[in-house]
């Protein structure tokens, strides 16, 4: 028998509060999180020749395209950072965020058949998604570091060891920031999509538009420069802080003013709580309307 | 007095009928807009209300209460739509009740489907771990039972093949093997036994029995196989239209009541000659029916181990020693099993039929026919001279269904192939004498 003994009583009754989260269950099912992460990783690259190399190729190809289109053709300034590094670093935070947002927004509908047949704490699914996306993030980070290394070696960029270590040490905070935000938005979307399928189609647009209002392909300073006095509007978008913080860590470019960063983190936490509670509430009877 | 393992208290579940499942945002906005506008007009609001009431709600469960003690094997019975699945879903925490409360003590594993969460691209091995974890096992637990699971599933060397390349039989076997090795205190099973070949079904039933009897676990079991219910369950809960009809440990009686309530109209075990059909000079047939041991007309369904007699009532108009009266027994598909008549015995034992009313009764042997629907046709003739009623050839027909009671053996609980399912004696010789 497992660690859980029969003294534990489960009570099933209607309309349990929004705040009712099965923490105990989540701990009990921690192995399931690991196995789901493993499943996602294995299944994604089954019957592919390149396998996990796709996680490297994807951002590299996108960054090359951006370099060509935005930097070479349109001449968008990159704030003194070599264009390829600029876009790669932008994509680093953005890819994690957008992947997690997209998968989290399908957490309920994609798993309808599973949720309809067996109970486990429903938060297991988004948690495993956050970890799955983290694997891709790490692969991408390694790619970025390798290319950064090349550039440092050839003298196009500079970063000293101490700086690099600080950057890597602080990076998890930035990732957490992005994860909270992505899960919050994604789970809120998942809840509303469960009832109104329209949002299935909208999610794609939301992500796409969001990228263009985030400083992925242009530096934040660009906005501050173009619309002085209004840059706080851009700072409400919590992704500005995530992406700018990554660049600040690796390239020493001027970081976002502290109030902006705090604002952004606050928004992220608020969105996260809202999303999780909504998801939690919807998932309890979601199967009745799926 | 110990606490019940499962206590269900006044549980109700309401579903909203209509388009709620497929709502699009546009519909909802339209509704809200309409409501807003109609708020201005008192009349409009009224209209809206009636409209809502018309659409109505559907109560899948209504005020259901019962207790289950540890070690009980409970069979949930009821026809489709009676609320069995809804109840299982609430008990397995897949959805919540609209009203009422359920308390469960112990670790629950529910098998509403086998192979939940199987990923087609992953190998059998990977899926055992994944599926096991979904059902609530820890990694260590699965690792410990891994070899047992593989043995039980008979998958053998295919264990590292992606399950999408499995035959459906292999898939189901693997899935059930994982489920069978769960060690929950409470197991909830829904009809999973309807899958797989006969041999595997038997293995599954055996496992359920072992889990409940041997290990004193609590099992909740939904099945349409009344034989399995009678064989395995120690309690039964009968639902009808979302309400609890009957509950208790008299499983056989509850099953009987359920079967009785679901006989089909128009196919009756009783026939009466209302319009003087089959008229002839020798015999007037009045009634033709199937009766139980007490002489009452049987219900549509009978267990195979109960006594069923064919009763023929009529009046002899002109005595004739060659007047042959009997019946033909057919399967539901009208394959003839046999004829039986009053003139089958040696001539010395024949009973003379004098002028006047008479009743002939013959018992259909218990545990001879197979499970399923059967028909009985009236046999009425002057031997080798004339048919008054040839069974199956526009003769009066009776219909009854054999359900349950195939055998007391755990190896014969559901329908076998073949027309007949007799239980025959076996002489078994062992040891040295058998060779000599």
């Amino acid at each position: 028998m497992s660690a859980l003994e029969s003294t534990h009583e489960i009570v099933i009754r209607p309309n349990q509060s929004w705040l009712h989260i099965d923490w105990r269950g989540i701990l009990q099912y921690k192995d399931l999180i690991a196995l789901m992460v493993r499943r996602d990783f294995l299944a994604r690259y089954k019957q592919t020749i390149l396998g996990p190399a796709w996680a490297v190729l994807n951002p590299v190809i996108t960054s090359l395209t951006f370099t060509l289109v935005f930097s070479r053709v349109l001449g968008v300034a990159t704030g003194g950072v070599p264009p390829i590094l600029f876009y790669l670093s932008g994509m680093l935070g953005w890819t994690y965020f957008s992947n997690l947002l997209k998968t989290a927004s399908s957490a309920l509908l994609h798993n309808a058949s599973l949720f309809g047949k067996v109970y486990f704490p429903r938060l297991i699914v988004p948690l495993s998604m956050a970890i799955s996306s983290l694997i891709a993030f790490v692969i991408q980070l390694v790619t970025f570091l390798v290319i950064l290394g090349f550039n440092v070696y050839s003298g196009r960029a500079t970063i000293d060891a101490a700086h690099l270590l600080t950057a890597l040490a602080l990076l998890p905070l930035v990732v957490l920031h992005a994860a909270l935000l992505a899960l919050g938005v994604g789970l809120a979307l998942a809840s509303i999509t469960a009832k109104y399928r329209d949002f299935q189609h909208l999610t794609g647009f939301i992500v796409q538009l969001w990228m263009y209002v985030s400083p992925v392909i242009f530096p934040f300073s660009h906005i501050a420069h173009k619309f002085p006095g209004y840059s706080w509007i851009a700072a409400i978008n919590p992704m500005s802080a995530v992406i700018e913080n990554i660049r600040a860590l690796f390239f020493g470019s001027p970081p976002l003013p502290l109030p902006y960063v705090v604002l952004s983190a606050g928004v992220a936490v608020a969105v996260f709580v809202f999303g999780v509670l909504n998801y939690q509430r919807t998932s309890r009877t979601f199967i009745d309307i799926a | 007095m110990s606490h019940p393992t499962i206590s269900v208290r006044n549980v109700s579940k309401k579903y909203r009928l209509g388009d709620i499942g497929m709502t699009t945002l546009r519909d909802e906005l339209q509704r809200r807009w309409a409501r807003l506008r109609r708020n201005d007009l008192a009349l409009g609001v009224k209209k809206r209300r009636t409209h809502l009431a018309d659409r109505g709600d559907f109560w899948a469960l209504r005020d259901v209460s019962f207790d289950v003690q540890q070690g009980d094997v409970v069979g949930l019975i009821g026809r489709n739509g009676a609320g069995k699945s809804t109840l299982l879903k609430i008990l397995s925490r897949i959805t919540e009740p609209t009203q009422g409360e359920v308390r469960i003590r112990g670790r629950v594993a529910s098998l509403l489907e086998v192979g939940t969460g199987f990923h087609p691209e992953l190998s059998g091995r990977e899926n055992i771990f994944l599926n096991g974890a979904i059902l609530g096992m820890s990694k260590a637990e699965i690792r410990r039972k891994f070899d047992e699971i593989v043995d039980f599933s008979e998958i053998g060397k295919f264990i590292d093949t992606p399950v999408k390349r499995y035959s459906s039989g292999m898939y189901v076997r693997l899935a059930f093997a994982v489920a069978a090795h769960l060690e929950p205190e409470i197991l909830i099973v829904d009809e999973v036994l309807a899958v797989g070949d006969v041999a595997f079904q038997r293995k599954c039933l055996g496992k359920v029995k072992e889990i409940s009897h041997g290990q004193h676990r609590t099992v909740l079991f939904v099945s349409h196989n009344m034989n399995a219910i009678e064989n395995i369950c120690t309690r039964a809960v009968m639902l009808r239209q979302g309400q609890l009809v009957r509950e208790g440990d008299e499983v056989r009686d509850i099953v009987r009541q359920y079967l009785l309530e679901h006989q089909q109209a128009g196919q009756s075990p009783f026939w009466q000659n209302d319009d003087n059909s089959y008229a002839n000079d020798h015999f007037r047939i009045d009634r033709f029916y199937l009766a139980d041991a007490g002489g009452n007309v049987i219900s549509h369904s009978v267990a195979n181990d109960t006594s069923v007699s064919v009763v023929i009532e009529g009046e002899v108009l002109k005595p004739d020693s060659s007047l042959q009266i009997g019946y033909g027994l057919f399967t539901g598909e009208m394959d003839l099993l046999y004829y039986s008549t009053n003139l089958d015995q040696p001539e010395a034992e024949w009973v003379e039929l004098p002028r006047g009313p008479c009743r002939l009764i013959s018992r259909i042997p218990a545990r001879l026919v197979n499970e399923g629907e059967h028909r009985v046709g009236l046999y009425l003739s002057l031997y080798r001279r004339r048919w008054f009623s040839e069974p199956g050839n526009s003769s009066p027909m009776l219909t009854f269904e054999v359900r349950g009671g195939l055998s007391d053996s755990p190896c014969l609980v559901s329908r076998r192939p073949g027309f007949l399912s007799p239980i025959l004696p076996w002489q078994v010789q062992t040891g040295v004498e058998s060779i000599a």
Side-chain angles (χ1 to χ4, degrees), chain A residues 18-55:
Chain A
W18 282 48
L19 296 167
H20 181 89
I21 290 177
D22 189 2
W23 296 112
R24 186 188 183 127
I26 293 175
L27 269 182
Q28 204 186 325
Y29 279 88
K30 59 184 185 305
D31 285 348
L32 180 58
I33 301 183
L35 283 162
M36 279 190 157
V37 171
R38 196 179 140 81
R39 172 198 68 183
D40 289 347
F41 186 78
L42 288 175
R44 187 171 306 155
Y45 301 116
K46 278 268 156 103
Q47 278 201 8
T48 61
I49 297 171
L50 295 177
W54 280 113

Side-chain angles (χ1 to χ4, degrees), chain A residues 1-2 4-16 20 22 28-29 31-32 34-36 38-39 42-43 46-47 113-120 122 192 194-199 283-290, chain B residues 13 15 20-21 23-26 28 89-108 110 112-113 116-117 119 121-123 126 129-130 133-136 138-141 164-165 183-185:
Chain A
M1 206 67 247
S2 78
L4 185 80
E5 274 313 320
S6 51
T7 46
H8 175 42
E9 188 182 62
I10 303 163
V11 181
I12 304 163
R13 60 161 85 93
N15 303 321
Q16 288 180 344
H20 181 89
D22 189 2
Q28 204 186 325
Y29 279 88
D31 285 348
L32 180 58
L35 283 162
M36 279 190 157
R38 196 179 140 81
R39 172 198 68 183
L42 288 175
K46 278 268 156 103
Q47 278 201 8
S113 61
L114 186 58
F115 287 0
K117 295 296 176 192
V118 68
Y119 173 81
F120 51 85
R122 302 312 191 205
I192 197 164
K195 200 166 179 196
Y196 307 110
R197 302 290 156 89
D198 310 63
F199 284 87
S283 67
R284 284 208 311 269
T285 53
F286 147 72
I287 214 67
D288 297 343
I289 53 168
Chain B
K13 177 76 184 175
Y15 285 104
I20 200 72
T23 354
T24 59
L25 187 56
R26 201 189 51 159
E28 181 87 341
K89 274 187 185 165
I90 290 172
L91 290 175
S92 17
R93 300 167 81 189
I94 285 161
T95 186
E96 286 180 344
T98 312
Q99 288 160 15
E101 188 180 278
V102 178
R103 284 173 183 273
I104 299 177
R105 282 158 210 281
R107 198 163 83 144
V108 186
S110 53
L112 303 196
E113 168 190 83
T116 312
H119 196 292
E121 296 286 350
L122 300 186
S123 71
E126 286 155 347
F129 278 94
L130 183 63
I134 285 176
L135 293 174
S138 71
K139 240 179 189 167
E141 222 178 321
K164 66 176 176 184
R165 308 213 193 288
E183 283 183 4
E185 286 144 85

Side-chain angles (χ1 to χ4, degrees), chain B residues 341-412:
Chain B
T341 73
N342 62 331
L343 303 184
D344 296 348
Q345 274 75 26
E347 199 168 349
E349 291 172 25
W350 290 359
V351 179
E352 198 191 329
L353 287 167
R355 187 187 306 271
C358 66
R359 177 192 287 149
L360 289 88
I361 302 168
S362 172
R363 199 174 147 176
I364 298 174
R367 288 182 171 166
L368 168 70
V369 298
N370 210 334
E371 215 176 27
E373 196 168 70
H374 288 82
R375 284 153 181 271
V376 181
L378 180 67
Y379 186 111
L380 207 60
S381 82
L382 291 177
Y383 178 66
R384 290 232 166 153
R385 279 189 281 161
R386 205 172 140 198
W387 278 112
F388 300 132
S389 165
E390 185 184 355
N393 189 5
S394 69
S395 66
M397 293 301 289
L398 306 177
T399 304
F400 73 107
E401 193 176 4
V402 175
R403 259 190 132 161
L406 280 177
S407 165
D408 298 325
S409 157
C411 296
L412 181 48

Side-chain angles (χ1 to χ4, degrees), chain A residues 130-149:
Chain A
I131 299 172
S132 280
S133 307
L134 202 58
I135 295 176
F137 175 82
V138 169
I139 297 176
Q140 211 181 325
L141 176 66
V142 171
T143 316
F144 168 73
L145 290 177
V146 168
I147 294 174
L148 178 66

Side-chain angles (χ1 to χ4, degrees), chain B residues 127-190:
Chain B
N127 270 309
I128 288 178
F129 278 94
L130 183 63
N131 187 235
I134 285 176
L135 293 174
M137 283 195 261
S138 71
K139 240 179 189 167
E141 222 178 321
I142 304 167
R143 207 169 288 132
R144 205 168 57 235
K145 289 183 193 147
F146 187 82
D147 292 335
E148 238 179 288
I149 293 174
V150 175
D151 276 354
F152 188 89
S153 69
E154 302 161 17
I155 293 295
K157 60 182 192 250
F158 295 104
I159 191 66
D160 288 312
T161 309
V163 297
K164 66 176 176 184
R165 308 213 193 288
Y166 282 19
S167 72
S168 53
M170 286 162 69
Y171 187 93
V172 165
R173 285 208 304 274
L174 182 67
F176 189 86
V178 180
H181 289 81
L182 281 170
E183 283 183 4
E185 286 144 85
I186 300 158
L187 181 67
I188 297 177
V189 192
D190 186 7

